């Protein structure tokens, strides 16, 4: 063989080796599905092992069925049907090899109740967390009901055919021992909640494999058959994990239909007043959760829709979404909204059913931008007071906050939070952090990373940080301390009187 021929062979082998390496790298690229089943929509997000979004799908839920006597239900089989639509959208946009999806993490709404027949199908529509029945013990009125479970239990059964669920989604009216994360062995507790042991699912810890995706579920959702379905926790806890909430001097403000603040901890305190103790998305850890705002970000959506088609047209002409358009307008409004204050009782608390949402302090200067900014300021001020109460009872001082949820896309709201709290406010690259939290659970369960801490550090990344603007901080502190913190003490009297008329 002459030198030219030998060189040709060497080059050929080098190219072949390079091609083989590229193919090998492509073959080793793996992906995880993170499901985020919320109160307003179902989201399916596909991540790589570094927590980067590869594709995603979303399907809005139907308006809830509202009836008399506090009945609030998800119509038909909406939670499952919307998940199918979202999953197919995510898979349609997925650029990788379907066979390289290694697992699925499931996160769903908490404090709901699903009544199932013996075959796992719904005996009646799923009860929302806003349904009055879920705050009371179960009453067995339908002979077809064989199981009483959560939304995560129901969807797990649809995915795997198994009657098993995460232990970390059983807060509320359930006979669970919150110290052991297992069903209570006290027969009086079982009787108190009205659910016989045979009607309850088996429990697993977050980061455990619940089962494998069945052929039927795989066909319906467009995902690989046989991949493991991994237990996570309740939606707020999974969101906290996905937001990287691990340090006890940090609070997460979760901007959702229900807005709450969370601080992680190791103990399970009882009898607290400014917070309650929730299961975390890491086994045998807890989240201390503040009192919150019911219909929190829902109020922002309500105001947007109240403005009608005109604002949508203007936003479209300006090349922005309605939210971006309103944020741009509100950025021109000074801190404090020229004295316009909003009280966010669009859904009254259970202990004060006479309360209503309010805007107080109007004068001729005020525009829709003032109203919008006032709602954002009310969210931050209300949560500041809730977090201060919780921190005082825990005996801690915070040095930073993380903001998660779609509202964190607003630079204006992020800055308001930093100024109201007086400490830096951070947001993640993935603001819908429940989906990445679900993916983190899969990564730990399948041994991609050795523990939750390392997995979180690899997959949950901060996007940016907003520093405190001192002048605004001083103004917000004065507004809060002198007026806002006690505003309902002044308005409760008139609202109680009005409730006797407008019941």
């Amino acid at each position: 063989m002459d030198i030219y021929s030998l060189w040709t062979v060497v080059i050929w082998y080098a190219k072949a080796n390079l091609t083989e390496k590229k193919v090998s790298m492509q073959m080793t690229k793996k992906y995880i599905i993170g499901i985020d089943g919320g109160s307003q929509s179902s989201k399916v997000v596909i991540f790589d092992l570094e927590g980067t979004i590869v594709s995603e799908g979303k399907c809005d839920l139907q308006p809830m069925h509202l009836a008399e006597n506090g009945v609030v239900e998800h119509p038909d089989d909406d939670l499952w049907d919307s998940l199918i639509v979202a999953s197919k959208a995510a898979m349609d946009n997925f650029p990788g090899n379907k066979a390289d999806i290694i697992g699925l993490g499931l996160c769903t709404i908490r404090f709901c109740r699903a009544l199932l027949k013996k075959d796992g199908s719904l005996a009646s529509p799923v009860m929302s967390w806003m349904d009055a029945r879920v705050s009371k013990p179960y009453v067995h009125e339908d002979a077809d009901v064989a199981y009483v479970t959560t939304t995560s239990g129901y969807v797990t059964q649809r995915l795997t055919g198994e009657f098993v669920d995460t232990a970390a989604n059983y807060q509320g009216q359930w006979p669970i021992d919150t110290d052991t994360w297992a069903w209570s062995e006290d027969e009086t507790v079982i009787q108190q909640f009205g659910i016989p042991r045979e009607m309850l699912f088996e429990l697993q810890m977050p980061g455990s494999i619940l089962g494998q995706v069945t052929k039927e579920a795989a066909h319906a959702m467009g995902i690989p058959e046989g991949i493991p379905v991994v237990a996570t926790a309740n939606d707020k806890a999974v969101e906290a994990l996905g937001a990287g909430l691990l340090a006890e001097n940090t609070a997460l403000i979760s901007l959702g239909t229900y807005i709450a603040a969370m601080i992680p901890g190791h103990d399970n305190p009882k009898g607290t007043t400014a917070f309650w103790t929730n299961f975390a998305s890491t086994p045998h850890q807890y989240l201390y959760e503040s009192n919150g705002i019911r219909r929190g970000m829902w109020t922002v959506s309500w105001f947007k829709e109240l403005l009608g088609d005109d604002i949508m047209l203007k936003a479209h002409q300006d090349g922005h979404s309605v939210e971006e358009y309103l944020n741009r307008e509100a950025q021109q409004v000074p801190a404090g909204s020229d004295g316009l204050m909003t009280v966010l009782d669009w859904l009254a608390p259970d202990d004060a059913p006479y309360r209503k949402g309010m805007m107080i302090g109007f004068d001729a200067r005020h525009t829709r931008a003032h109203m919008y900014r006032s709602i954002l300021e009310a969210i931050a001020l209300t949560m500041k007071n809730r977090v201060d109460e919780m921190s005082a009872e825990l005996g801690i001082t915070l040095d930073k906050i993380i903001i998660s949820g779609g509202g964190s896309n607003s630079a204006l709201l992020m800055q308001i939070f930093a100024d109201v709290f007086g400490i830096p406010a951070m947001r993640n690259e993935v603001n819908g952090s429940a989906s990445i939290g679900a993916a983190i659970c899969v990564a730990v369960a399948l041994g991609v990373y050795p523990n939750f801490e390392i997995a979180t550090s690899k997959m949950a990344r901060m996007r940016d940080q907003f520093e405190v603007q001192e002048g605004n901080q001083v103004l917000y502190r004065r507004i809060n301390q002198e007026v806002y913190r006690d505003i309902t003490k002044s308005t409760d009297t008139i609202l109680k009187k009005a409730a006797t008329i407008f019941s």
Side-chain angles (χ1 to χ4, degrees):
M1 180 181 294
D2 59 30
I3 188 65
Y4 177 79
S5 300
L6 180 62
W7 183 243
T8 301
V9 171
V10 169
I11 292 175
W12 184 86
Y13 272 110
K15 287 183 177 180
N17 189 46
L18 180 60
T19 300
E20 184 178 354
K21 286 183 177 179
K22 286 183 178 179
V23 171
S24 177
M25 289 175 64
Q26 290 172 352
M27 290 178 64
T28 59
K29 186 76 170 178
K30 302 298 181 182
Y31 306 93
I32 295 171
I33 298 174
I35 289 179
D36 175 10
S39 294
Q40 299 185 58
S41 65
S42 292
K43 307 179 193 70
V44 175
V45 187
I46 303 177
F47 298 92
D48 65 19
L49 301 187
E50 288 74 46
T52 302
I53 294 177
V54 178
S55 68
E56 54 189 320
K58 175 182 176 182
C59 179
D60 290 339
L61 297 180
Q62 299 178 47
M64 291 189 196
H65 172 67
L66 305 176
E68 296 181 358
N69 303 319
V71 172
V72 185
E73 297 175 332
H74 291 278
D76 306 319
D77 199 0
D78 196 30
L79 298 183
W80 177 249
D81 292 341
S82 62
L83 187 58
I84 290 174
V85 174
S87 180
K88 287 183 175 179
M91 293 304 300
D92 285 346
N93 296 321
F94 178 55
N97 187 339
K98 184 176 176 179
D100 289 328
I101 297 174
I102 61 173
L104 180 154
L106 173 64
C107 170
T108 64
I109 329 167
R110 61 183 180 171
F111 287 114
C112 299
R113 185 182 291 168
L115 307 180
L116 308 186
K117 298 178 183 178
K118 191 173 182 178
D119 64 358
S121 62
L122 287 176
S124 58
V126 174
M127 302 176 202
S128 162
W129 60 270
M130 293 181 281
D131 194 303
R133 291 171 294 177
V134 303
S135 61
K136 301 174 184 177
Y138 169 69
V139 178
H140 188 61
E141 299 175 325
D142 183 352
D144 286 341
V145 175
Y147 298 97
V148 184
T149 186
T150 64
T151 50
S152 54
Y154 170 57
V155 177
T156 295
Q157 205 286 325
R158 292 300 300 262
L159 285 168
T160 68
E162 305 290 342
F163 294 89
V164 62
D165 195 7
T166 174
N169 198 21
Y170 283 87
Q171 287 284 8
Q173 296 292 319
W174 302 98
I176 192 166
D177 185 328
T178 57
D179 290 322
T180 64
W181 296 43
W183 295 125
S184 175
E185 298 181 357
D186 187 336
E187 188 58 33
T188 59
V189 173
I190 299 293
Q191 293 176 0
Q192 174 188 345
F193 291 102
I195 312 175
R197 180 65 185 84
E198 61 270 17
M199 297 181 74
L200 294 166
F201 279 23
E202 295 300 316
L203 298 181
Q204 295 287 343
M205 299 298 284
S208 301
I209 295 175
L210 299 170
Q212 285 73 39
V213 173
T214 65
K215 181 178 181 180
E216 294 76 17
H219 176 74
M221 297 178 65
I223 61 179
E225 178 184 351
I227 61 172
V229 176
V230 173
T232 65
N234 56 85
D235 52 351
K236 292 297 185 186
V238 183
E239 183 179 357
L241 177 67
L245 183 67
L246 298 174
E248 295 182 19
N249 59 347
T250 302
L252 171 71
I253 312 294
S254 169
L255 300 177
T257 303
Y258 178 73
I259 298 176
M262 291 165 277
I263 297 173
H266 304 289
D267 301 321
N268 183 22
K270 312 291 198 307
T272 56
T273 58
F275 68 93
W276 61 282
T277 304
N278 185 17
F279 295 119
S281 199
T282 48
H284 297 294
Q285 298 295 306
Y286 296 92
L287 282 176
Y288 308 133
E289 185 170 326
S290 72
N291 296 319
I293 304 172
R294 304 175 79 186
R295 291 188 180 171
M297 296 308 293
W298 177 94
T299 306
V300 177
S301 299
W302 165 86
F303 181 70
K304 178 188 69 175
E305 293 173 6
L306 196 67
L307 296 176
D309 295 339
D310 179 62
I311 190 70
M312 294 181 63
L313 179 61
K314 289 181 177 179
H316 178 73
Q317 291 174 341
D318 200 40
H320 295 89
S321 68
V322 174
E323 291 82 358
E324 291 170 329
Y325 188 84
L326 289 172
N327 276 303
R328 286 163 61 91
E329 284 191 337
Q331 282 176 336
Q332 307 306 313
V333 174
S337 301
D338 287 324
L340 183 62
M341 293 175 291
T342 298
V343 178
L344 293 166
D345 285 325
W346 262 249
L347 180 61
D350 293 335
D351 60 348
Y354 51 84
R355 284 187 181 159
K356 300 289 184 182
M358 294 185 297
M359 287 186 174
I360 186 170
F362 279 108
D363 62 40
R365 294 171 296 175
H366 293 126
T367 64
R368 68 180 176 217
H370 287 81
M371 297 170 70
Y372 182 74
R373 182 175 183 122
S374 178
I375 292 173
L376 301 186
E377 290 176 335
I379 290 171
L381 287 164
T382 302
M383 293 314 302
K384 164 67 172 170
N385 294 327
R386 300 289 186 266
V387 172
D388 281 353
E389 293 162 359
M390 175 168 61
S391 298
E393 190 165 359
L394 287 169
I396 63 173
T397 300
L398 299 179
D399 57 23
K400 58 189 174 188
I401 54 175
I402 304 170
I403 312 298
S404 68
S408 66
N409 283 324
S410 166
L412 173 61
L413 183 53
M414 291 295 301
Q415 189 61 58
I416 290 172
F417 265 111
D419 295 341
V420 167
F421 274 74
I423 51 179
M426 301 179 295
R427 59 183 174 183
N428 289 353
E429 287 184 7
V430 180
N431 60 28
S433 55
S435 57
I436 188 65
I440 288 171
C441 288
V442 175
V444 174
L446 302 186
V448 176
Y449 298 108
N451 54 52
F452 283 93
E453 291 74 20
I454 292 177
T456 301
S457 68
K458 296 291 186 181
M459 299 178 72
R461 294 182 295 276
M462 288 297 166
R463 174 179 167 187
D464 50 19
Q465 178 170 302
F466 291 76
E467 303 297 336
V468 178
Q469 295 179 349
E470 185 175 352
N472 289 349
Q473 179 194 1
V474 172
L475 175 61
Y476 283 130
R477 184 190 302 122
R478 185 178 179 191
I479 291 171
N480 196 28
Q481 292 180 351
E482 297 182 23
V483 182
Y484 195 82
R485 188 165 55 191
D486 296 321
I487 196 169
T488 55
K489 292 181 180 179
S490 300
T491 57
D492 277 356
T493 300
I494 192 169
L495 288 174
K496 285 178 182 178
K497 292 180 179 178
T500 64
I501 302 172
F502 305 104
S503 57

